Amino acid sequence: MLDPAKDGKPALQALIARGLGEAVSVGDVSQLSGGASSATYRVEVEDGCGLRQLIFQRTAGDNGNGIPRRVQAEVQTRAGALGVPVARVIATTVAEDDLGDGAVTELVAGEALAPRWLRLPEYAAAREALTAQCAEALAKLHSAPVGHWTDLPLKRGSGAELLADMFGWYRRIGVNVPAYDLAFAWLKPRMPATPATCLVHGDFRSGNFLVGADGLTAVLDWELTHLSVPAEDLGWLCAQAWRFGQWQLPVGGFGTREALLEAYGGGVTAEELHIWEVYGNLKWGMSCLQLADDHVSGRVPSVERAAIGRRVTEVAADLTYLLAFGEL
């Protein structure tokens, strides 16, 4: 597989030209910091519009449960047509490009690092606006019926089925965490058995947004999108891990549950949100457990995975508190 910043520049230039339908010249290509599942590059391009910057992102290593970039790109494009703020997709790779599973998008202005926009004074107005903006973006995404997405190879499941799959995952890892056992037992009679009603982003949270001075500018990272129910996205946004130390504001570290539900406009009750918030915290705990197992087993030796894996006990404490007191 070619390196986009080195021997892969000609292939990247051809990919962008194919997407734009015109000749382009690629200048500097620099790798940006990113998550464990993706490698992200800023690409300087000169085309008929002059000199500008684009983003090339490709899957790095094991994609886990993620969907291919071409499917992500189609979901992102359709979400944008529904009114969700997203970066415009320019091109997706094919095998002949030898650039991996990747996509080129426009560069959208905004800060991606949640600890910065959650704390710095210049984002104070953004934080005030974000709860309503996130609720509006999710309401627009969830407004499309399941049939809008059924031509795409997306996973689906009821809450009960998602929980059963997660419990099977837990048993395969073979580590017993008492607080996780308690959470599974608490959730089992409460998770809905009704079929999926909409597409959910699957990882809608602080850290997967671009935020500008006035608030939300783009929703990022669509690799975990699937068919489910609206409350899954709202509950995940409330998980403790995505508050980045701003624990007193349960909605992503910037808002309240009451304001989120009011701005969302109905269809999700406080009780449903609570159930899916428990589910979201457990899901994050399972991700930590999986990353720890990847490292300890020697399957994927990684300091990053080991460090995140240590948060298994942190999530256990969060789940215990959430179940004992009803909120976290």
Side-chain angles (χ1 to χ4, degrees):
M1 186 167 59
L2 300 172
D3 183 341
K6 296 177 182 177
D7 56 348
K9 271 191 180 183
L12 183 59
Q13 181 169 294
L15 171 65
I16 296 170
R18 187 171 75 230
L20 291 175
E22 62 176 290
V24 301
S25 176
V26 169
D28 182 63
V29 179
S30 55
Q31 187 165 3
L32 307 176
S33 59
S37 63
S38 297
T40 304
Y41 301 82
R42 188 190 302 265
V43 184
E44 185 181 78
V45 171
E46 187 167 6
D47 58 15
C49 297
L51 193 64
R52 58 177 173 149
Q53 294 183 329
L54 304 176
I55 292 292
F56 174 65
Q57 191 173 52
R58 69 179 180 186
T59 301
D62 180 12
N63 194 30
N65 294 318
I67 59 177
R69 295 279 170 184
R70 60 176 180 78
V71 180
Q72 293 180 47
E74 180 60 28
V75 170
Q76 188 169 324
T77 298
R78 294 188 195 184
L82 292 170
V84 181
V86 297
R88 184 174 74 90
V89 177
I90 291 172
T92 56
T93 59
V94 295
E96 292 73 22
D97 295 322
D98 200 19
L99 288 168
D101 181 26
V104 177
T105 65
E106 290 185 334
L107 184 149
V108 177
E111 175 60 64
L113 294 175
R116 290 181 57 83
W117 58 256
L118 280 171
R119 293 180 175 87
L120 293 178
E122 55 263 41
Y123 294 100
R127 291 191 291 271
E128 288 291 324
L130 266 173
T131 301
Q133 291 171 341
C134 287
E136 181 181 2
L138 286 176
K140 289 177 177 177
L141 179 66
H142 299 158
S143 68
V146 168
H148 189 71
W149 313 99
T150 49
D151 61 312
L152 299 176
L154 298 170
K155 293 181 179 180
R156 70 166 69 201
S158 67
E161 290 168 335
L162 292 173
L163 184 68
D165 288 346
M166 190 191 295
F167 188 71
W169 173 21
Y170 181 53
R171 282 290 175 253
R172 285 192 297 274
I173 293 176
V175 176
N176 294 317
V177 183
Y180 291 18
D181 293 333
L182 176 63
F184 276 115
W186 186 90
L187 284 166
K188 188 174 182 180
R190 292 173 170 85
M191 291 296 279
T194 50
T197 60
C198 68
L199 180 130
V200 297
H201 179 278
D203 200 11
F204 191 92
R205 60 174 177 85
S206 300
N208 280 344
F209 310 143
L210 287 177
V211 175
D214 297 321
L216 183 67
T217 61
V219 179
L220 309 174
D221 298 336
W222 293 80
E223 66 263 25
L224 297 181
T225 191
H226 59 280
L227 301 174
S228 181
V229 294
E232 182 178 352
D233 269 340
L234 275 69
W236 183 244
L237 179 58
C238 295
Q240 171 75 298
W242 318 130
R243 303 176 198 176
F244 294 93
Q246 307 298 93
W247 58 268
Q248 71 279 21
L249 292 171
V251 178
F254 54 81
T256 67
R257 298 178 185 91
E258 296 76 13
L260 178 68
L261 290 176
E262 182 180 358
Y264 185 75
V268 177
T269 67
E271 181 182 5
E272 289 171 323
L273 181 64
H274 176 60
I275 291 168
W276 284 96
E277 185 178 339
V278 173
Y279 175 87
N281 279 280
L282 179 59
K283 180 182 174 182
W284 169 239
M286 285 300 305
S287 296
C288 295
L289 194 59
Q290 180 65 65
L291 292 171
D293 186 66
D294 287 343
H295 176 75
V296 171
S297 68
R299 188 168 50 252
V300 188
S302 164
V303 172
E304 180 183 18
R305 295 190 184 211
I308 297 174
R310 293 184 65 187
R311 300 185 68 180
V312 166
T313 53
E314 175 186 300
V315 180
D318 290 340
L319 285 167
T320 302
Y321 193 97
L322 185 58
L323 293 175
F325 299 102
E327 61 179 38
L328 179 64

